[in-house]
Amino acid sequence: MYRTHTCGELRISDVGSQVTLSGWVQKVRSLGSMTFVDLRDRYGITQLVFDGTADLGREYVIQIKGTVMERESKNPKLPTGDIEIKVAETKVLNKAQTPPFTIEESSDGGEDIRAKYRYLDLRRPPLQRALALRHRLAQEIRTYLDGQQFMEIETPYLIKSTPEGARDFVVPSRMNPGNFYALPQSPQTFKQLLMVAGYDRYFQIVRCFRDEDLRADRQPEFTQIDCEMSFVEQEDVLNMFEGMMRQMFKNAVGVDIPDPLPRMSWYDAMDNYGSDKPDIRFDMKIHEVTDLVKGCGFSVFDSAEYIGAIAVKDCASYTRKQIDELTEWVKRPQVGAKGLVYIKLAEDGIKSSVDKFYTPEQVKAIADKAGAQTGDLVLILCGPKRKTQNMLGVLRIEMGNRLGYRDPKVFAPLWIVDFPLLEWDDETQRFYAMHHPFTAPKPEHEEWFYSDKKEDLERVCANAYDFVLNGTELGGGSIRIHNADMQSRMFEVLGISKEEAEYKFGFIINAFKFGAPPHGGLAFGFDRVCALFGGQETIRDYIAFPKNNQGRDVMIDSPSEIDRTQLDELHLDIKA
Amino acid sequence: MYRTHTCGELRISDVGSQVTLSGWVQKVRSLGSMTFVDLRDRYGITQLVFDGTADLGREYVIQIKGTVMERESKNPKLPTGDIEIKVAETKVLNKAQTPPFTIEESSDGGEDIRAKYRYLDLRRPPLQRALALRHRLAQEIRTYLDGQQFMEIETPYLIKSTPEGARDFVVPSRMNPGNFYALPQSPQTFKQLLMVAGYDRYFQIVRCFRDEDLRADRQPEFTQIDCEMSFVEQEDVLNMFEGMMRQMFKNAVGVDIPDPLPRMSWYDAMDNYGSDKPDIRFDMKIHEVTDLVKGCGFSVFDSAEYIGAIAVKDCASYTRKQIDELTEWVKRPQVGAKGLVYIKLAEDGIKSSVDKFYTPEQVKAIADKAGAQTGDLVLILCGPKRKTQNMLGVLRIEMGNRLGYRDPKVFAPLWIVDFPLLEWDDETQRFYAMHHPFTAPKPEHEEWFYSDKKEDLERVCANAYDFVLNGTELGGGSIRIHNADMQSRMFEVLGISKEEAEYKFGFIINAFKFGAPPHGGLAFGFDRVCALFGGQETIRDYIAFPKNNQGRDVMIDSPSEIDRTQLDELHLDIKA
């Protein structure tokens, strides 16, 4: 028994008690005749009082025995702020070298040093809160789904490489030389097999792996909330997981989200927000103005497929310099616009960068179409339709950031529905599955799905859905194919040969021949769910031991070389 | 909405309701004018009645609409046995080929074919019950530990290879050519770092990986309940996890286990049961008879270090043939005895295989020492002490099996404590850690731990403990080293050089310098916990998609070859 209480537990009602506490020395203040020490553990901070001096360094681990006393000057910010411990006995359980950075709310350490000493960074309150939230959310998810008769079923991590989509991490098999396992990018096929096996409602909070070149804030291993249900239609899935999210928001962060959640079709999301993951915390929708501006002699617009505008509230006062900066911003390769047209609706009149091509009435009409009012700034981009909408979407988010419209403590979730089933890729001249090759076409679009015409296939929609929060996709899923012939047709449409399909997915096509139920499901990115619930953009603080952008864990120094004997056992050579 | 109710839900009070059910066709019985069909899902079976014939095959997936009727001949064995559905409308949702084996309580399919069609085998009730129990147990564990302020924290799967103990599975890093990650054999070092980081109480239900030559009933990937606590002594850990087990037994299988659980020292377990995982469902303890039998001219005993006996109840009637068979059994290499001596305490007198070396009084004294009574059979083995105790332990279990003493529905858990810290290996002439190199010596044995004498090191005990149930070790753990110097000393004792220790474990030795709290923990093998709670010896039915003894998943045909391009990207060649 190293303690009778934690450092977050004692209150005024405990005054007079003899207690034993253990924890870390957060702070030492010596007043000569007495010394105050803040003792810290996961549960809180308790003030200790020593007669005379105390030979204690920062982050020492100590055990003390003493008496709970009422404080003279109380600290209302601390739950233990009414009391302090008059220390009778002290034992140093472990000394500590001076940590390489401060262990406080915000640290003075750079990212690299904090990554190397992750176990010290993890002592800081924001990371403790982050991991506590993560634990809480996982518990809420499991409690909700268990209550809905879902069973958590573990699927294997050593599976089979199916080079479709992202790259697999592979694991050489010593017992089967020359053969490899692969780590799962998701348990997709296994959860579908569990539906074939009659488990009806499955979930798993599960690690997934992707050997991608790491963009910012991607991890080679990440965690999914993976779910699947049998005998369901889209409506059943959306209701079920809306319920889960509602309970998580309520119980973990005390927020009520709308009931029911808004739903938006993929086409509306693209047209109005230039994104399949719109941030609807603010309006500033995209409006097409093509009809209004074409054929008036402005060649840039005349030659464009699509011209669209957004109205930015109260920004008519933007200076020439600010507009120039914004123009440079949209011309960066990350956005890719050729230029930016503006209309300022100032109190003293309307002014635009295309005044010489349009009459004041025409300019006013454009501004009206964009929903602008006096005081607003209209920003216009043009080019190919989807690409331009996308650029306008990026610009919209940027303006939202600049104007403080994106408060991380405001939560605006919605469902995006009615995705196209297939995406045509000009470069490889083939279709790709927009979700994945197991997503079913909408029943009413089945005829198009079996058509040979590209334009038919392009308009097939899926009962696929994404859960979007504050401009981030937190998860998505679909109603699946449950029929062997339809699954074979899907592989055919995707240009996967019969032989290849058989080799890679034979077991699931085969499984569908033995009585597969209609089924569907979805998966949420749990790391990102945690970050957004915590009001953060980056996931790294919500993962106990993350990897850096080179996929390295710098704390344990991994990946690293392995022994020659290990390589020999695996029958492997490293090529120069 | 494919259904209004599940197939396990309808009762007599629902008679008259219009319902929609979906599920699998379990059985079709045609009576000419009407047809009875058993419709099955995860929740149960409901009887359907069709007018005339029904063109439905086994395992077809169907949806029916109809009216709930009271049955004429009720089936008290089924919760739905009072009712049946008069079917008005039928829709075949998916046809099914005839499955390659029967999908019933026990199947007619062999192990190989059931493994290949695992998704069909998983439809059978015993596997459904197994996975449901597994889910229930996981929920119980999480609820209990969450209630005790434990946080579930996910640790990484892509870590660093530390070739100590079993072999690691490794994962080549494409982004760091020639370098490898390793899959964790356990999150041991990470959970200790979480203690250093102040998380105080950690747990995780987590996959672990070991590239071992697979013995029967071992899997290359397996699941652990991994736990760690700070500021604790052994007593705190045992109480905490005894509580967890008590709740799991109570809530998942309705069994009360003793409070407190029995504890037995490792030395007592070895001496009395010849095993560090004794099955205490039955007595039949081992008794040393060395002093009684040595020096009487029987050279086999005279030259033995140790002679031990067990008394088998009511087996004095064993025939010559039975004794011979038993003698052959103990001489098999799996046991390794040189021979077997017996004493029969029959009603009509005592008879032994060593009557010519000992007087009747001496034989009687041996039998008395073994605790035998009239009617019993005493079995005696001799040889080196621990080895012979071990053989007697194996023989004891065998006799327990033969006599039906090992009822899987009886649960007799206990703690084994006071393990030796180190084990000397004659072959490699070095010490190995009995638990692992992070286990601390008992404080009162520290002097021996720092001694250079082999005999001192051999008698160092650890505050290490195993949780044993019915002759199987379900888990174990220890109080850890939390001091950098002591950890370095441990590596020195184990013959790990400073350089090697620094390379492999530098991060944890370093972490101990920044204020590591006293801590300890344990891990349970979750697959085996599930199997034993389910009253089974083998874990395979408690894993949704297990691998076979060659480490293969025959359903998905993994491991398998990968593309040359994948190998190239990884800078790997396969050696012939």
Side-chain angles (χ1 to χ4, degrees):
Chain A
M1 272 293 248
Y2 278 90
R3 60 188 172 197
T4 55
H5 298 77
T6 69
C7 296
E9 207 173 342
L10 292 166
R11 297 290 183 275
I12 192 83
S13 58
D14 297 301
V15 165
S17 306
Q18 300 297 310
V19 298
T20 306
L21 299 185
S22 292
W24 285 263
V25 172
Q26 173 82 15
K27 209 188 276 177
V28 180
R29 278 160 300 147
S30 182
L31 303 183
S33 65
M34 61 206 306
T35 303
F36 291 101
V37 169
D38 281 352
L39 190 69
R40 185 197 72 225
D41 66 13
R42 188 185 111 198
Y43 310 94
I45 285 180
T46 298
Q47 179 165 292
L48 312 178
V49 192
F50 294 79
D51 276 336
T53 58
D55 186 20
L56 299 172
R58 196 145 67 83
E59 300 302 319
Y60 271 38
V61 185
I62 63 169
Q63 182 189 45
I64 60 98
K65 292 178 200 289
T67 312
V68 184
M69 312 286 280
E70 182 168 0
R71 275 210 219 179
E72 260 178 53
S73 58
K74 302 197 168 51
N75 180 349
K77 286 186 200 150
L78 278 187
T80 61
D82 288 349
I83 58 97
E84 62 193 9
I85 315 294
K86 190 166 165 48
V87 176
E89 252 185 271
T90 310
K91 189 173 171 187
V92 173
L93 298 173
N94 220 341
K95 293 192 174 189
Q97 290 182 9
T98 306
F101 48 84
T102 54
I103 296 173
E104 292 177 4
E105 188 67 26
S106 48
S107 175
D108 60 356
E111 203 168 304
D112 291 348
I113 188 105
R114 287 190 289 117
K116 179 161 186 218
Y117 294 92
R118 181 72 175 175
Y119 47 87
L120 297 180
D121 205 23
L122 282 169
R123 286 184 190 166
R124 294 196 302 116
L127 280 91
Q128 299 247 344
R129 287 195 301 269
L131 295 187
L133 175 65
R134 187 179 178 116
H135 166 68
R136 193 77 266 126
L137 287 171
Q139 279 292 115
E140 288 296 335
I141 291 163
R142 289 190 162 102
T143 304
Y144 177 85
L145 293 175
D146 181 54
Q148 299 286 344
Q149 309 240 43
F150 281 77
M151 278 167 65
E152 185 160 24
I153 300 176
E154 296 174 54
T155 53
Y157 281 125
L158 296 173
I159 65 162
K160 183 173 176 165
S161 190
T162 53
E164 176 75 6
R167 248 186 233 97
D168 289 319
F169 282 105
V170 297
V171 181
S173 166
R174 181 181 55 85
M175 290 171 77
N176 306 272
N179 285 4
F180 291 77
Y181 302 99
L183 300 178
Q185 295 183 33
S186 90
Q188 182 65 33
T189 49
F190 289 98
K191 69 176 173 177
Q192 293 192 246
L193 290 174
L194 286 171
M195 295 304 105
V196 176
Y199 285 78
D200 204 86
R201 296 185 167 190
Y202 144 93
F203 84 101
Q204 192 181 187
I205 300 183
V206 61
R207 204 71 53 85
C208 301
F209 304 86
R210 245 175 239 175
D211 185 12
E212 289 176 306
D213 296 319
L214 299 171
R215 284 180 276 157
D217 216 31
R218 285 279 185 118
Q219 291 281 321
E221 50 178 315
F222 55 98
T223 302
Q224 275 190 2
I225 311 161
D226 192 50
C227 308
E228 198 79 4
M229 305 168 75
S230 289
F231 301 116
V232 288
E233 288 158 341
Q234 171 169 303
E235 196 61 27
D236 304 309
V237 179
L238 298 193
N239 287 338
M240 179 62 71
F241 291 97
E242 216 171 293
M244 182 179 89
M245 278 292 172
R246 189 164 294 116
Q247 186 163 315
M248 287 162 70
F249 270 108
K250 183 84 186 162
N251 294 353
V253 287
V255 166
D256 288 304
I257 59 170
D259 185 2
L261 286 188
R263 296 186 193 175
M264 192 185 292
S265 83
W266 181 86
Y267 293 93
D268 284 348
M270 294 304 291
D271 288 347
N272 295 325
Y273 297 91
S275 169
D276 55 4
K277 35 182 191 285
D279 185 345
I280 58 168
R281 281 174 297 184
F282 62 105
D283 197 26
M284 207 195 288
K285 285 199 194 72
I286 297 168
H287 297 272
E288 177 166 10
V289 295
T290 313
D291 290 349
L292 295 179
V293 301
K294 263 199 161 182
C296 298
F298 181 38
S299 66
V300 175
F301 282 175
D302 287 350
S303 63
E305 180 196 354
Y306 170 96
I307 304 104
I310 56 173
V312 189
K313 272 257 157 285
D314 302 328
C315 286
S317 58
Y318 258 42
T319 62
R320 178 84 223 172
K321 199 175 150 197
Q322 283 175 300
I323 297 276
D324 285 348
E325 183 269 332
L326 215 49
T327 307
E328 288 313 306
W329 192 89
V330 297
K331 285 164 88 174
R332 296 176 320 141
Q334 294 93 320
V335 186
K338 295 256 163 61
L340 178 68
V341 169
Y342 70 85
I343 304 172
K344 293 182 190 176
L345 282 78
E347 293 284 348
D348 57 354
I350 298 178
K351 213 176 156 231
S352 90
S353 52
V354 288
D355 280 346
K356 60 179 161 179
F357 299 106
Y358 300 96
T359 66
E361 291 70 31
Q362 283 176 313
V363 172
K364 180 69 172 45
I366 299 168
D368 284 348
K369 185 79 188 286
Q373 294 179 317
T374 302
D376 296 352
L377 171 70
V378 178
L379 299 173
I380 304 171
L381 297 176
C382 68
K385 181 174 169 181
R386 290 287 179 224
K387 197 179 159 209
T388 306
Q389 287 176 336
N390 185 266
M391 293 187 298
L392 280 162
V394 173
L395 180 59
R396 176 182 173 273
I397 292 294
E398 173 67 14
M399 296 315 292
N401 282 335
R402 292 186 185 198
L403 296 169
Y405 291 165
R406 307 189 70 218
D407 180 352
K409 301 290 181 196
V410 173
F411 299 99
L414 79 161
W415 291 106
I416 304 298
V417 296
D418 298 334
F419 280 77
L421 181 70
L422 301 160
E423 245 178 334
W424 179 260
D425 181 59
D426 268 329
E427 201 176 314
T428 51
Q429 288 284 304
R430 52 161 280 201
F431 278 109
Y432 285 85
M434 195 136 179
H435 261 75
H436 53 54
F438 304 104
T439 295
K442 275 179 187 279
E444 59 269 34
H445 293 181
E446 268 185 38
E447 201 183 317
W448 295 335
F449 180 63
Y450 285 95
S451 160
D452 287 335
K453 293 192 197 133
K454 189 180 152 211
E455 58 272 27
D456 281 343
L457 287 165
E458 271 179 325
R459 60 182 170 160
V460 178
C461 277
N463 279 326
Y465 31 81
D466 275 357
F467 185 92
V468 169
L469 175 65
N470 296 0
T472 298
E473 180 213 317
L474 286 189
S478 60
I479 299 300
R480 326 295 186 186
I481 297 170
H482 64 279
N483 171 291
D485 291 338
M486 186 181 280
Q487 189 63 65
S488 295
R489 167 63 184 163
M490 179 55 114
F491 289 133
E492 182 189 32
V493 168
L494 298 178
I496 298 173
S497 73
K498 269 205 163 57
E499 295 66 36
E500 198 183 346
E502 177 55 35
Y503 177 73
K504 287 179 191 163
F505 301 110
F507 60 99
I508 192 153
I509 298 174
N510 212 27
F512 286 166
K513 295 177 184 161
F514 289 97
H519 62 285
L522 82 184
F524 294 94
F526 187 47
D527 305 308
R528 210 157 292 281
V529 165
C530 294
L532 263 82
F533 272 66
Q536 300 291 322
E537 296 255 311
T538 167
I539 61 176
R540 203 162 291 179
D541 284 356
Y542 291 82
I543 299 172
F545 300 100
K547 294 184 177 54
N548 72 10
N549 281 343
Q550 286 77 50
R552 294 198 70 82
D553 182 329
V554 296
M555 179 187 73
I556 61 172
D557 189 25
S558 167
S560 58
E561 291 181 5
I562 59 174
D563 290 353
R564 183 69 244 175
T565 52
Q566 277 178 289
L567 284 174
D568 287 343
E569 284 186 331
L570 298 170
H571 292 259
L572 289 181
D573 265 334
I574 293 168
K575 292 195 295 186
Chain B
M1 271 292 247
Y2 277 91
R3 59 187 173 197
T4 54
H5 298 78
T6 69
C7 296
E9 206 172 344
L10 293 166
R11 297 290 183 275
I12 192 82
S13 57
D14 296 301
V15 166
S17 306
Q18 301 298 310
V19 298
T20 306
L21 299 185
S22 292
W24 285 264
V25 172
Q26 173 82 14
K27 208 188 278 176
V28 180
R29 277 160 300 146
S30 183
L31 304 184
S33 66
M34 60 204 309
T35 303
F36 291 99
V37 169
D38 281 352
L39 190 69
R40 185 197 73 225
D41 66 13
R42 188 185 112 197
Y43 310 94
I45 285 179
T46 298
Q47 179 165 289
L48 312 178
V49 191
F50 293 79
D51 276 337
T53 58
D55 186 20
L56 299 173
R58 196 145 67 84
E59 300 301 320
Y60 272 37
V61 185
I62 64 170
Q63 181 189 45
I64 61 98
K65 291 178 201 289
T67 311
V68 184
M69 312 286 280
E70 182 167 359
R71 274 211 219 180
E72 262 180 51
S73 58
K74 301 198 169 51
N75 180 348
K77 285 185 200 151
L78 279 187
T80 62
D82 288 350
I83 58 96
E84 61 194 9
I85 314 294
K86 191 167 164 48
V87 175
E89 251 185 272
T90 311
K91 189 173 171 187
V92 173
L93 297 173
N94 220 342
K95 293 191 175 188
Q97 290 182 9
T98 306
F101 48 83
T102 55
I103 296 174
E104 291 177 3
E105 188 66 27
S106 47
S107 175
D108 60 358
E111 203 168 304
D112 291 348
I113 188 105
R114 286 189 290 117
K116 181 163 184 215
Y117 294 93
R118 181 72 175 176
Y119 46 88
L120 297 179
D121 205 24
L122 281 170
R123 286 185 189 164
R124 294 197 302 115
L127 279 90
Q128 299 247 344
R129 286 196 300 269
L131 295 188
L133 175 66
R134 187 178 179 116
H135 167 67
R136 193 76 267 126
L137 287 171
Q139 279 292 115
E140 288 295 336
I141 291 162
R142 289 192 162 101
T143 303
Y144 177 84
L145 293 176
D146 181 53
Q148 300 287 343
Q149 309 240 43
F150 281 77
M151 279 167 65
E152 185 160 24
I153 299 176
E154 296 175 54
T155 53
Y157 281 125
L158 296 172
I159 66 162
K160 183 172 177 165
S161 189
T162 53
E164 175 75 7
R167 249 186 232 96
D168 289 319
F169 281 106
V170 296
V171 182
S173 166
R174 182 181 54 85
M175 289 171 77
N176 305 273
N179 285 4
F180 291 76
Y181 302 99
L183 300 178
Q185 295 183 32
S186 90
Q188 182 65 33
T189 50
F190 289 98
K191 69 175 172 177
Q192 293 193 246
L193 289 173
L194 286 171
M195 294 305 105
V196 176
Y199 285 79
D200 203 87
R201 295 184 168 193
Y202 144 94
F203 83 102
Q204 193 180 188
I205 300 183
V206 61
R207 204 71 53 85
C208 301
F209 304 85
R210 244 174 241 176
D211 185 12
E212 288 176 306
D213 297 319
L214 299 171
R215 283 180 277 157
D217 216 30
R218 284 280 185 117
Q219 291 280 321
E221 49 177 315
F222 54 98
T223 302
Q224 275 191 3
I225 311 162
D226 192 49
C227 308
E228 198 79 5
M229 305 168 74
S230 289
F231 301 116
V232 289
E233 287 157 343
Q234 170 169 303
E235 196 62 27
D236 304 309
V237 179
L238 299 193
N239 287 337
M240 178 62 71
F241 291 97
E242 217 171 293
M244 183 179 89
M245 279 292 172
R246 189 163 294 115
Q247 185 163 315
M248 287 163 69
F249 270 108
K250 183 82 186 163
N251 294 353
V253 287
V255 166
D256 288 305
I257 59 170
D259 184 3
L261 285 187
R263 295 187 193 176
M264 192 185 292
S265 83
W266 182 86
Y267 293 94
D268 285 348
M270 294 304 291
D271 288 347
N272 294 325
Y273 296 92
S275 169
D276 56 4
K277 35 183 192 284
D279 185 347
I280 58 168
R281 281 175 296 184
F282 62 106
D283 198 25
M284 207 194 289
K285 284 201 195 70
I286 296 168
H287 297 273
E288 177 165 10
V289 296
T290 314
D291 290 350
L292 295 179
V293 301
K294 263 201 160 180
C296 298
F298 181 38
S299 67
V300 175
F301 282 174
D302 287 350
S303 63
E305 180 196 354
Y306 170 97
I307 304 105
I310 56 172
V312 189
K313 272 257 157 286
D314 302 328
C315 287
S317 58
Y318 258 42
T319 62
R320 179 82 223 176
K321 199 176 151 198
Q322 283 175 301
I323 297 276
D324 285 349
E325 183 269 333
L326 214 50
T327 308
E328 287 315 305
W329 191 90
V330 297
K331 286 163 87 175
R332 296 176 320 140
Q334 294 92 319
V335 186
K338 295 257 163 62
L340 178 69
V341 169
Y342 70 85
I343 304 172
K344 293 182 191 178
L345 283 78
E347 293 285 348
D348 57 354
I350 297 178
K351 216 180 149 222
S352 90
S353 51
V354 288
D355 280 346
K356 61 177 159 178
F357 299 106
Y358 299 96
T359 66
E361 290 70 31
Q362 284 176 314
V363 172
K364 181 68 172 46
I366 299 169
D368 284 349
K369 185 80 187 286
Q373 295 179 316
T374 302
D376 295 352
L377 171 70
V378 178
L379 300 173
I380 304 171
L381 296 176
C382 68
K385 180 175 171 184
R386 291 287 180 225
K387 197 179 160 212
T388 305
Q389 287 176 337
N390 185 265
M391 293 187 298
L392 281 162
V394 173
L395 179 59
R396 176 182 173 273
I397 292 293
E398 173 68 13
M399 296 316 291
N401 282 334
R402 292 186 184 198
L403 296 168
Y405 291 166
R406 307 188 71 218
D407 180 352
K409 302 290 182 197
V410 172
F411 299 99
L414 80 161
W415 291 106
I416 304 297
V417 295
D418 298 334
F419 280 77
L421 181 70
L422 301 161
E423 245 178 334
W424 178 259
D425 181 59
D426 269 330
E427 201 176 315
T428 52
Q429 287 285 304
R430 53 161 279 201
F431 278 109
Y432 286 85
M434 195 138 180
H435 261 76
H436 53 54
F438 305 104
T439 295
K442 276 180 186 279
E444 59 269 34
H445 294 181
E446 268 184 39
E447 201 184 317
W448 295 335
F449 179 64
Y450 285 96
S451 159
D452 287 335
K453 293 190 197 136
K454 188 179 152 212
E455 59 272 27
D456 281 341
L457 287 165
E458 271 179 324
R459 59 182 171 161
V460 177
C461 278
N463 279 325
Y465 30 81
D466 275 357
F467 185 93
V468 169
L469 176 64
N470 296 1
T472 298
E473 180 213 316
L474 286 189
S478 60
I479 299 300
R480 326 295 186 186
I481 297 170
H482 65 279
N483 171 291
D485 292 338
M486 186 182 280
Q487 189 64 64
S488 296
R489 167 63 184 163
M490 179 55 114
F491 289 132
E492 181 190 32
V493 168
L494 299 177
I496 299 172
S497 74
K498 269 206 163 57
E499 295 67 34
E500 198 183 349
E502 177 55 36
Y503 177 73
K504 288 179 192 163
F505 302 109
F507 61 99
I508 192 154
I509 298 175
N510 213 26
F512 286 166
K513 295 177 184 160
F514 289 97
H519 61 287
L522 82 185
F524 293 96
F526 187 47
D527 305 308
R528 209 157 292 281
V529 165
C530 295
L532 263 82
F533 272 66
Q536 300 292 323
E537 296 257 310
T538 166
I539 62 176
R540 204 162 291 179
D541 284 356
Y542 292 81
I543 299 172
F545 299 100
K547 294 185 176 55
N548 72 10
N549 281 344
Q550 286 77 50
R552 294 198 70 82
D553 182 329
V554 296
M555 179 187 74
I556 61 172
D557 189 25
S558 166
S560 59
E561 290 181 7
I562 60 174
D563 290 353
R564 182 69 244 176
T565 54
Q566 277 178 288
L567 284 174
D568 288 343
E569 284 186 331
L570 298 170
H571 293 258
L572 290 181
D573 264 335
I574 293 168
K575 293 196 294 186

